Amino acid sequence: ETGVTQSPTHLIKTRGQQVTLRCSSQSGHNTVSWYQQALGQGPQFIFQYYREEENGRGNFPPRFSGLQFPNYSSELNVNALELDDSALYLCASSLLAGGGETQYFGPGTRLLVL
Amino acid sequence: SQQGEEDPQALSIQEGENATMNCSYKTSINNLQWYRQNSGRGLVHLILIRSNEREKHSGRLRVTLDTSKKSSSLLITASRAADTASYFCATDLKSLGRLYFGRGTQLTVWP
């Protein structure tokens, strides 16, 4: 167990809807990163939050947005859901935002868009 | 696009045998990490090797890094059925804390 939790574990939405996924980071970690993992693929970096500010973004459209709260927990919001958004969404926390830090992953939220 | 690529895509062995997985990457890195994932669940960090290191051990795991060939290998010795999982290498470009993963190697260990 990494101490990183995510909710919900599974979610079914229809195309066009909006979804919010939640992540609680490991105690003492101020950095949260979000990844999308499509079936049969490796995780793809979405964005990272460090001390409540976005600290880098991958190749994802603006309808993917996030927040980090003062307790360093985080949300991932996806608007106007598309079928291709169906995936496992993973969050990972780390002690610092810089490179060379081990990232501790949560169990993921599996999103299915119909 | 994937920064790292694991090889082979799938590996099937008997308990007790050694399993070797390889990872190739495209650009210079400061470190490379290996992760394990069971059945589409969360990733578990296995080992981090820095660019100035050539080999690292952790229990039954041995990781090597050859920066001149832009490749790394993960060796699991004396494999067990519980080692059945997907294994991913991840690179941290520019040391920004953003991991780029390959597609992974699916390892199956038969009892």
Side-chain angles (χ1 to χ4, degrees):
Chain A
E1 296 293 327
T2 63
V4 179
T5 60
Q6 291 186 245
S7 62
T9 55
H10 295 81
L11 203 51
I12 300 175
K13 291 285 189 178
T14 55
R15 196 170 47 182
Q17 285 188 313
Q18 177 265 343
V19 69
T20 297
L21 311 181
R22 295 177 176 83
C23 171
S24 291
S25 59
Q26 188 166 324
S27 178
H29 287 186
N30 58 22
T31 303
V32 173
S33 302
W34 286 92
Y35 295 83
Q36 179 196 65
Q37 186 178 21
L39 199 61
Q41 303 291 317
Q44 298 282 315
F45 174 76
I46 303 175
F47 44 56
Q48 182 182 85
Y49 278 83
Y50 170 64
R51 292 186 174 180
E52 304 178 57
E53 298 286 332
E54 186 178 290
N55 183 46
R57 187 180 185 92
N59 189 26
F60 281 81
R63 60 189 185 83
F64 284 77
S65 63
L67 281 174
Q68 188 178 33
F69 300 99
N71 65 356
Y72 302 132
S73 66
S74 177
E75 285 183 356
L76 164 65
N77 299 289
V78 186
N79 293 323
L81 283 167
E82 300 176 0
L83 298 180
D84 285 349
D85 296 333
S86 296
L88 180 68
Y89 288 85
L90 297 161
C91 79
S93 75
S94 56
L95 193 58
L96 295 171
E101 291 290 324
T102 297
Q103 296 193 17
Y104 297 88
F105 283 79
T109 293
R110 188 165 294 283
L111 172 65
L112 177 61
V113 182
L114 301 175
Chain B
S1 63
Q2 307 281 4
Q3 156 68 347
E5 289 296 334
E6 292 87 349
D7 174 68
Q9 289 187 10
L11 181 61
S12 187
I13 60 175
Q14 294 289 132
E15 262 191 334
E17 294 181 338
N18 295 342
T20 299
M21 288 159 269
N22 302 297
C23 168
S24 59
Y25 56 91
K26 297 174 184 174
T27 61
S28 296
I29 58 170
N30 290 316
N31 65 77
L32 184 144
Q33 303 183 41
W34 284 90
Y35 284 84
R36 164 199 168 119
Q37 184 178 41
N38 286 15
S39 301
R41 302 179 69 180
L43 280 79
V44 175
H45 181 261
L46 296 176
I47 203 161
L48 181 153
I49 187 165
R50 303 190 189 279
S51 59
N52 61 354
E53 298 176 309
R54 291 297 168 257
E55 188 170 310
K56 208 162 181 180
H57 297 253
S58 177
R60 294 183 296 113
L61 305 180
R62 181 174 79 104
V63 168
T64 62
L65 179 64
D66 187 335
T67 53
S68 67
K69 295 180 179 178
K70 293 188 171 57
S71 67
S72 174
S73 68
L74 169 66
L75 168 67
I76 304 175
T77 59
S79 63
R80 306 165 181 166
D83 293 329
T84 295
S86 292
Y87 292 82
F88 295 90
C89 67
T91 54
D92 184 353
L93 299 181
K94 302 178 183 177
S95 275
L96 294 174
R98 305 165 198 178
L99 297 179
Y100 292 86
F101 291 83
R103 289 188 174 88
T105 292
Q106 172 61 50
L107 172 66
T108 303
V109 182
W110 298 98

